[in-house]
Amino acid sequence: MNAMTQTSSRFQQGLTRLLQSRVADILSYPHGVDRYLEVFNPLWSVNEVRAKVEAVRYLTEDSVTLTLRPNHNWEGFTPGQFVQLSVTINGKRQTRCYSPANSLHRADGCIELTAKVHANGFVSRHLREQLSVGDVVLLSQADGEFALPEQRPEQVLLISGGSGITPVMSMLRTLCDEGFSGPITFLHYANSAADMIYASELDEIARAHDNVTLVRCFNDEGEQGELSGLFSREHLYIAAPEFAQATTFLCGPPPMMAAVEKVWEEDGLAERLHKEQFTLAAPQIESDSAEGEVRFVQSEKMAINNGATLLEQAESAGLTPESGCRMGICHACTCRKTAGEVRDIRTGEITSGEEDIQICVSVPVGTVTLDI
Amino acid sequence: MSIFSNLSAEQFETIGQELDAIRNREMADLGEEDANYIRTLIKRQRRLEVAGRGLLMAGFLPPAWLAGVACLSASKILDNMEIGHNVMHGQYDWMGDPAINSKVFDWDNTCTNTAWKQTHNFEHHTFTNVLDKDHDIGYGILRMSEDQEWEPRFLFNPILAGILATFFQHFVAVQSLKLEDYLIYKTKTKEEVKAEFKPTWKKMRKQLVKDYLLFPALAGPFAPFVFAGNMAANVARNLWSSQVIYNGHFPEEVEQFPESVIENETRGQWYVRQLLGSANFEGGRLMHVMSGNLSFQIEHHLFPDLPAHRYARIAPEVRAICEKHGLPYNTGSFVKQSLSVWKRIFKLSLPSKTEGGSKNGPLNGLRAKVVSLTREPESETRKAA
């Protein structure tokens, strides 16, 4: 590091400390320093991780690969972990989880996220169609138990399906950059060759590293892969006969993961299998009826959904959530719904997933989980 | 009460449906435009604030001081009115951005988010203009309705209204304490007041330290200029926002309601009570923004959680509904509404002319009141005995 960059980094550290100080806190009270900094540059922040889009690439027909340069609040990640990416679509903030796919040792400090665009993929479609270089997105710090252990295993088996490739791609790239010499088998499932994200890069890696075995398995008939069809025990015997000795990392669609888990359980190897559920198997609720239950997470209570508003159901379960007008005007009762669908009794609109709702005007449609 | 009681159940029902239709249509339309509007406004407010505080650092130069006060006043007004008031109403909760969310947003004001949401968002907006339920009718200090019983302290109505306006943020901050219950009616103990004051004082202290200690200290020898500038900006914000709020509910034609109206009140009746209990004032775009669109107080009371910049657009429709059903739509210029408010403040400082003793004049009413007040404890003791 030369003198110039040393001074500038010391200056930056001093500035950061100043902006995080109690004095800065009071001077900017009650909004906080970040709310002033962002006015001048959307990337400036004392606490939040924000990232600039450096590149947008389309590796397949239905995916988008983003290169993001996070600001200095980014604390890094462990291969396999995920981050929450937030973008604003039609004025509303939307958050989704993605795993960085890049190597831990990537030199430019950027992270790479790849999203597969599903038919109903509201956010992924936005990322592919609307996001462009120079845009700023919001990130969380990396999180998740699914991660390459610090003490690298002797033998690694990576199994992925579809967009589940991203966390294991990061593991593979990291291990290769570290000159890892143990055997690595990369077993990937995709519908077709054209559908496979990172296909050409994986090809190159396998060619350049003797210890890396790439096994591609395509679902569509007539595709040229090492294997075809859905995951089976036979696939495992062909692709990774020594799977029992390997530390295995698995990420993919729920049915595929279930099939793999079954094999490991049958063989009593469950603890050597590390897995990440990438897409949740969402329950489909057809009718708007008083079914299911209402779960109150913080107070660890539960009630059978009786069709009344969530506020009334919470109260009859013995809770006293904050509330006011009981007609949806004062927002005193707003609370976090972590799962399930609710109907707004004023508009009849049904919304699902994690969101803030006014419980005095919301009735549950099926099972709903509230963070109260 | 005449118009209110003249409407039939069907008319209330129709009015309710018509207003609900507007509400649903607007709510379904929320999106990028609203998000851009509030974000842009916040950006402008923050820039004005930084500019204002910066200029005041050079406040020993009179033009810089004046410009600084102007910027900071405008910034504080925007922060409290079009941003704070509206964000804390939940108008932008749907955006999912914690920085613009009613649960966590706080404003540049000594009143806490929590206390304000209790007194304003809940009490005032649910029980709008219902005597003894809506504390905003006079804030426990003023007599603002004929139906409020006259007390000798109300002779000071105009003076108190002026003090209230000057120190408005502090009165709003302590509104939830209902100090009159301790000072005048003795239904509240000192300990209760102390305990309730704690969170408010915590916030008040920070605001005061910021404006009257820290920022002046940053100016070193020019501290007095910054101190005075900040005080001027706070007073300007207080006078402006209090007048905007007086104009929203205190013009002479605005009605108050007895508690009986809220029993089994239908949605249509609730809407009509909001209509009759509020008043607008007219002006240009800047006037609307600086008043937090409370120049459309009627629309705000009908749809308090609808982003306020939409009120101007729906106001003609609301007005048409009023005309169709023979309801008044109370509006006028800022000056006209202000004069009407102050006329009412002066008028109500004196006892109302009751049906029986109207010819005896106000002084006679005062004498009767004093007599009855001095007698009260006696009758209490008698009852106890």
Side-chain angles (χ1 to χ4, degrees):
Chain A
M1 207 186 270
N2 62 36
M4 191 92 149
T5 55
Q6 233 168 39
T7 325
S8 87
S9 101
R10 214 174 293 153
F11 172 75
Q12 200 176 20
Q13 276 173 12
L15 188 66
T16 309
R17 242 197 316 263
L18 186 69
L19 290 173
Q20 285 170 332
S21 69
R22 178 123 183 83
V23 174
D25 198 43
I26 299 179
L27 288 176
S28 62
Y29 186 78
H31 302 306
V33 178
D34 277 357
R35 301 283 86 81
Y36 292 88
L37 291 178
E38 68 191 2
V39 170
F40 300 97
N41 184 333
L43 281 167
W44 289 354
S45 164
V46 175
N47 300 308
E48 289 170 16
V49 184
R50 300 186 202 145
K52 194 170 160 190
V53 179
E54 294 272 309
V56 184
R57 289 180 298 145
Y58 310 102
L59 300 180
T60 65
E61 282 290 306
D62 63 350
S63 74
V64 56
T65 299
L66 307 171
T67 307
L68 304 173
R69 180 177 299 285
N71 63 9
H72 63 272
N73 294 321
W74 173 243
E75 290 167 4
F77 73 108
T78 307
Q81 286 192 312
F82 64 86
V83 294
Q84 291 175 48
L85 170 93
S86 300
V87 287
T88 302
I89 305 176
N90 199 16
K92 198 170 177 175
R93 182 179 290 192
Q94 306 282 350
T95 303
R96 295 289 185 276
C97 294
Y98 298 103
S99 297
N102 56 293
S103 162
L104 196 57
H105 308 289
R106 185 180 169 124
D108 66 358
C110 285
I111 56 173
E112 181 182 300
L113 302 182
T114 290
K116 201 171 164 73
V117 183
H118 300 282
N120 300 318
F122 181 57
V123 174
S124 53
R125 212 171 52 233
H126 173 87
L127 296 182
R128 185 173 162 103
E129 289 164 13
Q130 306 295 326
L131 212 62
S132 49
V133 172
D135 286 351
V136 173
V137 296
L138 199 71
L139 293 180
S140 70
Q141 296 291 358
D143 198 5
E145 299 290 308
F146 185 67
L148 201 58
E150 203 140 328
Q151 177 69 48
R152 307 297 189 220
E154 281 169 23
Q155 196 175 335
V156 178
L157 169 58
L158 306 170
I159 308 177
S160 60
S163 58
I165 196 169
T166 55
V168 292
M169 188 68 194
S170 170
M171 293 178 179
L172 179 69
R173 282 165 158 178
T174 301
L175 290 171
C176 289
D177 281 354
E178 290 174 359
F180 179 79
S181 58
I184 305 175
T185 303
F186 197 105
L187 173 57
H188 181 74
Y189 288 81
N191 285 332
S192 66
D195 221 28
M196 185 172 164
I197 306 160
Y198 296 120
S200 57
E201 191 183 333
L202 280 168
D203 234 8
E204 278 167 41
I205 290 177
R207 235 179 297 143
H209 295 82
D210 292 340
N211 61 328
V212 178
T213 313
L214 176 64
V215 184
R216 288 159 296 193
C217 179
F218 300 120
N219 208 2
D220 293 356
E221 277 176 35
E223 285 288 344
Q224 291 294 309
E226 285 78 8
L227 293 168
S228 65
L230 300 173
F231 175 85
S232 66
R233 198 176 260 277
E234 287 66 43
H235 278 184
L236 201 56
Y237 288 139
I238 301 165
E242 295 182 330
F243 70 93
Q245 277 82 55
T247 302
T248 304
F249 296 91
L250 163 72
C251 184
M256 184 202 113
M257 291 190 54
V260 176
E261 282 170 48
K262 198 166 156 243
V263 172
W264 259 255
E265 267 164 36
E266 282 169 359
D267 290 10
L269 299 168
E271 62 188 49
R272 295 193 71 96
L273 180 70
H274 304 267
K275 53 197 189 249
E276 174 93 309
Q277 188 87 18
F278 217 69
T279 41
L280 286 173
Q284 286 296 312
I285 295 142
E286 301 288 319
S287 67
D288 176 6
S289 58
E291 284 171 354
E293 55 215 19
V294 188
R295 298 169 181 165
F296 307 100
V297 177
Q298 278 182 38
S299 43
E300 297 179 68
K301 284 198 171 171
M302 210 177 77
I304 302 301
N305 176 13
N306 63 11
T309 64
L310 282 167
L311 178 59
E312 288 166 43
Q313 299 203 43
E315 285 172 339
S316 47
L319 305 181
T320 49
E322 223 186 309
S323 70
C325 64
R326 292 175 173 267
M327 52 198 300
I329 60 158
C330 81
H331 290 254
C333 68
T334 300
C335 81
R336 193 81 180 159
K337 166 168 69 75
T338 53
E341 285 190 323
V342 292
R343 184 166 52 85
D344 187 319
I345 55 175
R346 297 167 300 178
T347 59
E349 194 195 359
I350 293 179
T351 55
S352 65
E354 183 159 347
E355 60 182 343
D356 285 331
I357 55 167
Q358 291 169 268
I359 56 174
C360 73
V361 288
S362 297
V363 295
V365 183
T367 295
V368 162
T369 309
L370 293 180
D371 194 23
I372 50 174
Chain B
M1 279 301 289
S2 55
I3 301 158
F4 197 83
S5 41
N6 279 348
L7 290 173
S8 68
E10 289 75 34
Q11 274 172 304
F12 278 122
E13 177 81 17
T14 316
I15 294 166
Q17 282 167 1
E18 286 170 345
L19 290 170
D20 268 340
I22 297 179
R23 182 192 153 80
N24 291 342
R25 184 193 70 208
E26 294 297 316
M27 284 298 187
D29 186 47
L30 296 182
E32 199 139 6
E33 187 202 340
D34 306 87
N36 286 343
Y37 174 80
I38 195 70
R39 289 229 157 89
T40 309
L41 199 77
I42 289 174
K43 237 181 215 179
R44 287 195 186 143
Q45 179 266 320
R46 301 282 141 88
R47 287 199 174 125
L48 268 175
E49 184 179 350
V50 172
R53 300 216 183 258
L55 281 164
L56 282 175
M57 290 292 149
F60 53 92
L61 303 166
W65 190 84
L66 280 174
V69 170
C71 287
L72 192 57
S73 308
S75 146
K76 280 181 179 265
I77 287 168
L78 285 176
D79 177 284
N80 281 191
M81 309 294 279
E82 183 72 339
I83 302 167
H85 170 268
N86 293 337
V87 166
M88 276 147 64
H89 258 296
Q91 293 180 1
Y92 299 94
D93 280 4
W94 57 273
M95 284 171 63
D97 181 347
I100 320 178
N101 186 287
S102 64
K103 274 250 181 284
V104 282
F105 187 88
D106 211 345
W107 53 0
D108 182 33
N109 188 300
T110 50
C111 181
T112 66
N113 167 311
T114 330
W116 185 83
K117 278 196 297 199
Q118 171 69 25
T119 53
H120 180 90
N121 232 4
F122 167 48
E123 287 177 13
H124 171 59
H125 272 274
T126 311
F127 307 116
T128 311
N129 288 28
V130 174
L131 285 163
D132 297 328
K133 289 287 241 177
D134 180 4
H135 198 253
D136 273 29
I137 308 177
Y139 303 94
I141 302 172
L142 309 177
R143 180 165 180 254
M144 293 311 307
S145 164
E146 303 271 344
D147 300 325
Q148 255 171 307
E149 220 178 305
W150 185 84
E151 295 169 32
R153 64 178 174 124
F154 293 134
L155 281 173
F156 302 103
N157 233 21
I159 298 165
L160 284 172
I163 297 174
L164 176 66
T166 313
F167 300 99
F168 195 58
Q169 66 160 339
H170 299 287
F171 280 99
V172 172
V174 298
Q175 195 188 350
S176 59
L177 305 185
K178 312 241 154 69
L179 277 178
E180 68 278 9
D181 288 346
Y182 164 65
L183 294 171
I184 298 155
Y185 304 114
K186 312 284 178 203
T187 53
K188 205 169 183 175
T189 65
K190 199 173 177 177
E191 284 65 40
E192 284 175 307
V193 172
K194 262 189 176 166
E196 287 173 33
F197 186 54
K198 248 188 191 159
T200 305
W201 175 236
K202 209 176 144 195
K203 167 129 205 234
M204 245 184 197
R205 208 171 45 202
K206 278 193 188 170
Q207 286 291 136
L208 295 172
V209 164
K210 177 176 84 163
D211 276 348
Y212 299 120
L213 267 176
L214 219 47
F215 270 110
L218 279 184
F222 309 119
F225 296 99
V226 177
F227 185 95
N230 289 351
M231 184 177 270
N234 276 329
V235 169
R237 180 266 320 271
N238 287 350
L239 292 176
W240 171 252
S241 46
S242 59
Q243 191 59 51
V244 165
I245 288 154
Y246 287 4
N247 285 4
H249 296 290
F250 301 159
E252 289 187 289
E253 296 84 355
V254 172
E255 285 191 33
Q256 281 86 27
F257 305 88
E259 248 180 90
S260 56
V261 297
I262 53 174
E263 281 164 35
N264 304 318
E265 191 180 42
T266 64
R267 182 142 180 88
Q269 286 168 334
W270 182 82
Y271 270 135
V272 174
R273 177 159 59 82
Q274 303 303 324
L275 275 169
L276 301 178
S278 315
N280 288 5
F281 56 82
E282 290 146 11
R285 230 179 103 76
L286 187 65
M287 174 83 101
H288 296 314
V289 173
M290 294 308 274
S291 67
N293 276 295
L294 293 182
S295 43
F296 295 102
Q297 189 75 246
I298 297 174
E299 286 72 18
H300 173 59
H301 262 269
L302 296 173
F303 315 117
D305 55 358
L306 179 71
H309 71 100
R310 287 174 175 257
Y311 295 154
R313 217 178 310 166
I314 60 169
E317 286 178 77
V318 172
R319 195 172 185 154
I321 291 174
C322 286
E323 272 161 20
K324 189 173 126 193
H325 297 280
L327 292 167
Y329 185 87
N330 194 332
T331 188
S333 70
F334 182 82
V335 175
K336 183 202 143 197
Q337 297 294 65
S338 301
L339 286 175
S340 175
V341 166
W342 283 94
K343 197 172 147 199
R344 185 181 204 158
I345 290 171
F346 273 92
K347 213 165 86 184
L348 291 174
S349 64
L350 299 174
S352 303
K353 297 172 185 170
T354 46
E355 295 93 74
S358 61
K359 290 197 179 68
N360 297 332
L363 275 182
N364 216 355
L366 168 63
R367 200 169 303 134
K369 185 72 204 178
V370 171
V371 170
S372 83
L373 275 176
T374 44
R375 266 188 198 158
E376 243 162 60
E378 212 181 289
S379 59
E380 289 284 330
T381 15
R382 212 173 295 149
K383 242 182 268 166

